Amino acid sequence: MELHHEFTVPVPVDDAWRALLDVERIAPCMPGATVDDYDGKTVTGSVKVKVGPITVTYRGTAVFEEQDESAHRMVLIANGKETRGQGTARATVTGMLAERDGGTAVSVRTDLTVTGRPAQFGRGVMAEVGDKLVGQFAECLARRLEEPTERAEPPEAVEPFRSAQPVQPVRPVQPVEPIDLLRTAGPPVAKRVAVAVATAVLVLVFVRIRRRRHA
């Protein structure tokens, strides 16, 4: 399926371009996503999607196939596979940036292929969910771009710290909340999704009952 989204951010196009390529900085704005590693071209991580009582985790990579700074155009190809299942996700994302009234208009075209449980909801539901997720991302990105950039202070020469107390372990990073399709879609769409989930559960129960009888 092909999806198209547009949003604006309140910074000049060159600043927006650099921000969108700073994956580690904008990672917290990506709903359901966790970035494990980024080498300037390839992103390794995971995305969690919640469908009713079921949570699906996709692990994979996203590679910047094109970064045209003069045209402010980027192409990202992402591939992922369910960690517990046979479902897959593949997306080719093309982003275009343009100056607009002192800010930047961002146009994103996504060619998406999904197999597995989330695929049963079809293009209509996926498009509506995509609209809301992009809206959340745009709002978060705008807030981050408006934050002042902190300048790193040069380190001061200090004596090595010695303590008789044991070193406290670093607190673990808070887990990323999955993308909740029912909550994100809103009541009208969520009702259709809930019906689809209930139907799938009933079919699964029916199949198991038949297998037991045959056994």
Side-chain angles (χ1 to χ4, degrees):
M1 71 184 72
E2 188 172 285
L3 307 173
H4 183 249
H5 301 95
E6 292 186 352
F7 60 91
T8 59
V9 289
V11 296
V13 66
D14 289 334
D15 293 343
W17 172 262
R18 287 191 293 270
L20 289 173
L21 293 180
D22 189 350
V23 173
E24 294 176 343
R25 180 184 178 189
I26 66 173
C29 291
M30 302 175 185
T34 299
V35 174
D36 297 327
D37 185 56
Y38 176 53
D39 62 7
K41 182 178 181 181
T42 302
V43 184
T44 303
S46 61
V47 176
K48 291 183 179 180
V49 180
K50 185 178 180 181
V51 185
I54 303 170
T55 299
V56 180
T57 300
Y58 293 92
R59 287 197 59 82
T61 60
V63 180
F64 282 98
E65 291 292 322
E66 181 181 337
Q67 295 181 13
D68 189 339
E69 185 173 1
S70 60
H72 295 120
R73 182 179 187 272
M74 65 181 72
V75 179
L76 184 72
I77 297 180
N79 289 280
K81 186 179 184 301
E82 286 185 34
T83 56
R84 298 181 180 179
Q86 300 300 314
T88 61
R90 176 181 172 83
T92 300
V93 183
T94 303
M96 294 284 295
L97 282 64
E99 195 85 31
R100 180 180 295 175
D101 299 328
T104 300
V106 183
S107 174
V108 181
R109 188 174 298 278
T110 306
D111 186 0
L112 175 66
T113 303
V114 180
T115 65
R117 284 163 286 190
Q120 65 184 300
F121 305 125
R123 186 186 186 285
V125 172
M126 298 298 286
E128 292 188 50
V129 171
D131 289 342
K132 294 195 175 183
L133 293 179
V134 170
Q136 294 174 15
F137 172 79
E139 291 178 3
C140 177
L141 179 62
R143 289 195 301 269
R144 285 187 170 267
L145 291 178
E146 290 176 340
E147 294 174 355
T149 303
E150 296 183 1
R151 295 182 178 179
E153 296 293 335
E156 298 180 1
V158 295
E159 291 295 325
F161 177 76
R162 296 181 178 87
S163 174
Q165 299 296 326
V167 178
Q168 296 296 326
V170 178
R171 292 183 179 179
V173 178
Q174 292 296 326
V176 174
E177 290 294 323
I179 302 171
D180 191 329
L181 290 184
L182 295 181
R183 183 182 300 175
T184 304
V189 179
K191 185 177 180 180
R192 301 202 303 269
V193 176
V195 171
V197 172
T199 302
V201 171
L202 289 175
V203 170
L204 181 60
V205 171
F206 177 73
V207 169
R208 289 184 176 177
I209 290 175
R210 289 193 61 186
R211 287 178 179 175
R212 290 179 180 176
R213 287 180 178 176
H214 285 299

